Amino acid sequence: MVSDAVVEEVRARADLVEICSEYMPLKRVGKSYRGPCPLHGGEGRNFAVDPAKGIFKCFVCDEGGDVFSFVMKHLGLDFPSAVRYVAGRVGVEIPETDEPREDPYGHLRAVASFAEEWFAEQLRGDGGVEARRYLEKRGIDMEAAERYGLGYAPDAWRAMREAAGTRGIEERHLLEVGLLATSERAEEPYDRFRHRLMFSIRDLRDRPIGFGGRAMGESGEGVPKYINSPDSPIFHKGKLLYGLNWARHSIRRDGHAAIVEGYTDVLSLHLHGLSVAVAGLGTAFSSEQAESLGRYAQQVYLVYDSDDAGLRATFKAADILLAAGLHPLVVTLPEGEDPDSVVRERGVGALRAYFQDAVDVLERKLQILEREGYLANIEGRRRAIDGLLSTLRSVRDPALRDIYLDRAVERTGVRRETLVHEIARQAEGGGARPSGEARRRAGREPPSEREETRAHPAERNLVLLLVRDRSLVERAVAAGITSEDLRDAGLRAVYSALAADSDGPDGGGEDDWTARVAGVGLRPMEDLLTDDTELTSPLQIFDESVRRLLHRPQLERLREIDRELELADEGQARELLVEKQGIAERLREAGFPLSFLQKRRRGPAGPSSHD
């Protein structure tokens, strides 16, 4: 971390006018400097810099702040990186022992820059004829190809490798960036990209860091149409969005982004004036990508294919965007169309019309459920709720969450209290698919002996004590513990064997007793017999474990109530608090300590290691 004192020293030394002047022409007007805003791409002199106060302000996009704010917004840096960037400009050394004095991956960035230039040269040459024809059909001329870093990888196994060698670039660096690949069938490394149209992938500082390649001609069997650079020290495809380096200012200016499926879609939309388009890099949409978009706008249009695969990708991305506090809208194109085909065949106006007809993701799900007949009968509505839960659970914005709940109640006829309870009960799973336990409790899936679960501490402690002291078995049975109270399959089987033989071994020794319970599987028994965990005050631990297992439903209900309170309206919250108080009172009568119950009353909290 950079100390506050150093931050203030950097701020005091920084010349905001000088730094801003690198990105737009500034002209002195009175005591301030004015120019076109580089943040939203305006042309008028609406961007003002006050050198005396060290702040800037745009009177159109309303962005403002100090020198660090400008660098963060314009270059997409976080605060520590912005401080270091400005510090380097003003000659302040960051006093951190682990602070690198230069880019540790500068040599890899140089390799990527070389590759971008080389691919571009191949596209202009005789070997790039087919790739140029493909681009021409897509409405991309050579000027645009150069502007967006397009190129061509020739149909040769080691052309890139040999060209890099003449420039003194080491083979190991080509491998590290992913430009070369290896195989057990090849004696030497070979070019990863061959006979492909190349798309340069750049970071927010417009530096090439990776590549995507589209196969030219008919792809052979097993040859993917698109391949991307593998992850490297400078390239992490799960965190990046193609085109964000060009789109971020337009996204901030327009207040929204558009996620499309491919490189060509991004370029086509940018060339036709829709410069808010970005795309993923062949991986599932991630929370890191959502966070990147959230720095520039809160509204995101999802423009995926309308087939089943496209809808699945749309809804998965929408849930991730909702969880990041963004608001996704679904753009529905005609079947078989994509953004590129729409703008080329019918013009940008036609695509804008589809954007204007975009609907909220929850509304889109409801449209599909109604179209497919799910809302017409009881069983269908039950399944419809399952389809809506991931979206209802993902939304982070409180106001939008409340709107979603009301809309789901209106369209499905399911009570709000029921929806809130379902969302809260499944919240621990964290994914779109409910946990196995939640599905069983809803009566839709039987328990599986093969289901792997992490053993509950109370279950483990109890069975471990019984294995060490068989005289406690009768006491556990008398207290009402049955095998059904243990959810771990191995512990449940051991307990069943112990309870069936509650008189204990008849002097035959440990091996004889182990043989009698071998039917449960030796692995659980071996784990317990070799467990050297020290359980101090074993009788106290025994009583506590029995109490927690017998009252597990009430403890779990307390956790559900805590989560429901986060979603409940005022009336439901009052009812939940009354229910919570009643459960706490019953637990107190059962012997749970007052300190535990007071902790539960303080408010929502995740399960502790004792729950």
Side-chain angles (χ1 to χ4, degrees), residues 366-600:
L366 289 167
Q367 287 177 355
I368 294 172
L369 290 169
E370 185 169 19
R371 184 187 68 198
E372 300 295 328
Y374 283 93
L375 303 183
N377 55 69
I378 293 175
E379 177 57 27
R381 290 188 181 188
R382 171 67 264 184
R383 295 176 64 185
I385 293 300
D386 289 340
L388 297 174
L389 279 176
S390 66
T391 296
L392 295 173
R393 186 172 61 246
S394 297
V395 63
R396 193 177 78 184
D397 180 79
L400 185 60
R401 182 172 58 202
D402 205 50
I403 293 170
Y404 275 13
L405 282 167
D406 286 344
R407 186 61 172 153
V409 169
E410 176 189 345
R411 296 291 297 275
T412 65
V414 176
R415 293 187 308 135
R416 182 187 177 104
E417 291 82 356
T418 302
L419 289 176
V420 167
H421 180 65
E422 285 287 319
I423 295 168
R425 189 168 63 178
Q426 295 181 12
E428 285 185 33
R433 179 176 169 82
S435 67
E437 180 60 23
R439 292 193 300 276
R440 288 195 297 276
R441 290 169 64 188
R444 293 189 296 279
E445 183 174 304
S448 169
E449 291 295 326
R450 293 172 294 179
E451 184 179 35
E452 295 182 4
T453 60
R454 183 180 178 183
H456 193 287
E459 294 184 13
R460 179 80 181 182
N461 289 342
L462 176 64
V463 180
L464 185 58
L465 285 170
L466 300 186
V467 168
R468 292 178 179 179
D469 183 356
R470 311 287 159 56
S471 67
L472 294 175
V473 177
E474 277 193 71
R475 185 168 170 177
V477 173
I481 295 293
T482 71
S483 60
E484 295 304 313
D485 292 314
L486 288 85
R487 295 174 183 168
D488 180 88
L491 296 178
R492 183 166 62 244
V494 172
Y495 181 80
S496 296
L498 287 167
D501 189 32
S502 59
D503 290 335
D506 53 7
E510 191 72 40
D511 292 339
D512 290 341
W513 183 84
T514 304
R516 283 201 295 275
V517 296
V520 309
L522 289 179
R523 179 64 181 272
M525 277 305 306
E526 289 175 356
D527 288 346
L528 291 165
L529 291 171
T530 58
D531 191 327
D532 59 358
T533 303
E534 183 179 353
L535 298 178
T536 58
S537 305
L539 291 180
Q540 182 179 344
I541 293 175
F542 172 85
D543 290 338
E544 178 72 6
S545 299
V546 168
R547 183 161 52 240
R548 289 186 179 276
L549 293 179
L550 290 176
H551 295 278
R552 186 187 298 200
Q554 291 96 322
L555 294 171
E556 290 177 341
R557 180 56 187 150
L558 278 182
R559 292 200 299 273
E560 288 176 2
I561 290 174
D562 286 340
R563 292 191 294 272
E564 288 180 40
L565 283 170
E566 298 177 0
L567 305 170
D569 56 24
E570 185 177 352
Q572 188 183 0
R574 284 196 296 268
E575 295 178 2
L576 289 170
L577 289 171
V578 170
E579 182 185 356
K580 184 175 182 178
Q581 184 176 358
I583 293 174
E585 181 62 26
R586 290 194 295 275
L587 292 174
R588 185 189 65 79
E589 294 172 354
F592 281 85
L594 183 61
S595 59
F596 170 80
L597 299 177
Q598 287 175 334
K599 180 180 71 173
R600 299 306 307 180

Side-chain angles (χ1 to χ4, degrees), residues 321-369:
L321 290 165
L322 288 169
L326 307 183
H327 185 195
L329 298 171
V330 180
V331 176
T332 302
L333 301 179
E335 188 173 351
E337 297 262 32
D338 58 34
D340 175 49
S341 66
V342 172
V343 296
R344 282 190 294 108
E345 295 171 12
R346 285 180 279 156
V348 68
L351 187 61
R352 290 186 187 276
Y354 288 119
F355 273 68
Q356 291 171 0
D357 291 338
V359 297
D360 178 272
V361 61
L362 183 74
E363 194 64 34
R364 181 60 178 143
K365 279 192 171 184
L366 289 167
Q367 287 177 355
I368 294 172
L369 290 169

Side-chain angles (χ1 to χ4, degrees), residues 77-88:
L77 303 178
D78 57 19
F79 181 74
S81 300
V83 172
R84 294 185 179 99
Y85 175 83
V86 178

Side-chain angles (χ1 to χ4, degrees), residues 51-368:
K53 296 180 180 179
I55 59 174
F56 72 91
K57 175 72 175 180
C58 176
F59 299 100
V60 173
C61 67
D62 206 37
E63 293 288 358
D66 62 5
V67 63
F68 303 130
S69 300
F70 177 79
V71 173
M72 290 168 67
K73 295 175 186 296
H74 188 61
L75 299 181
L77 303 178
D78 57 19
F79 181 74
S81 300
V83 172
R84 294 185 179 99
Y85 175 83
V86 178
R89 299 295 310 277
V90 300
V92 175
E93 184 175 355
I94 303 295
E96 294 181 286
T97 56
D98 59 345
E99 180 71 15
R101 295 186 177 274
E102 60 183 24
D103 184 355
Y105 303 119
H107 60 293
L108 299 183
R109 299 187 200 282
V111 171
S113 294
F114 156 76
E116 183 185 66
E117 294 173 4
W118 189 79
F119 287 137
E121 183 180 339
Q122 306 312 303
L123 179 64
R124 292 190 296 268
D126 293 341
V129 173
E130 184 179 355
R132 292 198 300 270
R133 287 174 179 167
Y134 173 83
L135 290 175
E136 186 179 349
K137 286 198 308 183
R138 291 299 188 107
I140 301 173
D141 59 23
M142 288 304 294
E143 180 184 350
E146 183 175 349
R147 187 192 328 158
Y148 290 108
L150 303 186
Y152 171 68
D155 191 8
W157 284 93
R158 293 180 175 84
M160 158 68 75
R161 179 188 175 202
E162 292 170 1
T166 63
R167 296 279 291 269
I169 296 175
E170 295 184 42
E171 189 175 280
R172 61 190 178 95
H173 294 154
L174 294 168
L175 286 165
E176 195 169 3
V177 175
L179 291 166
L180 297 186
T182 58
S183 169
E184 294 179 355
R185 295 178 295 177
E187 295 181 1
E188 297 180 340
Y190 54 89
D191 293 357
R192 181 182 299 276
F193 300 100
R194 303 178 306 280
H195 194 38
R196 289 180 179 271
L197 175 65
M198 299 300 296
F199 298 85
S200 177
I201 301 167
R202 297 174 177 174
D203 63 15
L204 292 178
R205 295 174 67 178
D206 214 33
R207 301 174 298 185
I209 54 176
F211 299 91
R214 184 197 188 280
M216 290 285 91
E218 293 295 328
S219 300
E221 186 176 351
V223 177
K225 187 174 182 179
Y226 284 93
I227 59 174
N228 293 316
S229 295
D231 278 6
S232 73
I234 62 172
F235 179 69
H236 305 282
K237 54 179 169 283
K239 298 180 180 180
L240 298 167
L241 286 163
Y242 178 71
L244 187 57
N245 56 307
W246 304 307
R248 67 186 191 278
H249 298 318
S250 297
I251 292 172
R252 181 185 283 113
R253 179 194 65 212
D254 295 351
H256 62 260
I259 302 177
V260 296
E261 290 202 52
Y263 301 118
T264 310
D265 287 332
V266 170
L267 297 182
S268 183
L269 266 60
H270 278 252
L271 290 171
H272 285 84
L274 289 173
S275 53
V276 295
V278 296
L281 298 172
T283 60
F285 191 76
S286 70
S287 57
E288 290 90 348
Q289 291 168 325
E291 183 180 340
S292 295
L293 286 179
R295 296 172 186 161
Y296 306 103
Q298 297 300 300
Q299 192 174 77
V300 180
Y301 290 92
L302 295 169
V303 200
Y304 290 5
D305 290 346
S306 296
D307 57 12
D308 288 344
L311 284 174
R312 285 195 297 271
T314 295
F315 294 141
K316 286 181 180 179
D319 287 348
I320 293 170
L321 290 165
L322 288 169
L326 307 183
H327 185 195
L329 298 171
V330 180
V331 176
T332 302
L333 301 179
E335 188 173 351
E337 297 262 32
D338 58 34
D340 175 49
S341 66
V342 172
V343 296
R344 282 190 294 108
E345 295 171 12
R346 285 180 279 156
V348 68
L351 187 61
R352 290 186 187 276
Y354 288 119
F355 273 68
Q356 291 171 0
D357 291 338
V359 297
D360 178 272
V361 61
L362 183 74
E363 194 64 34
R364 181 60 178 143
K365 279 192 171 184
L366 289 167
Q367 287 177 355
I368 294 172

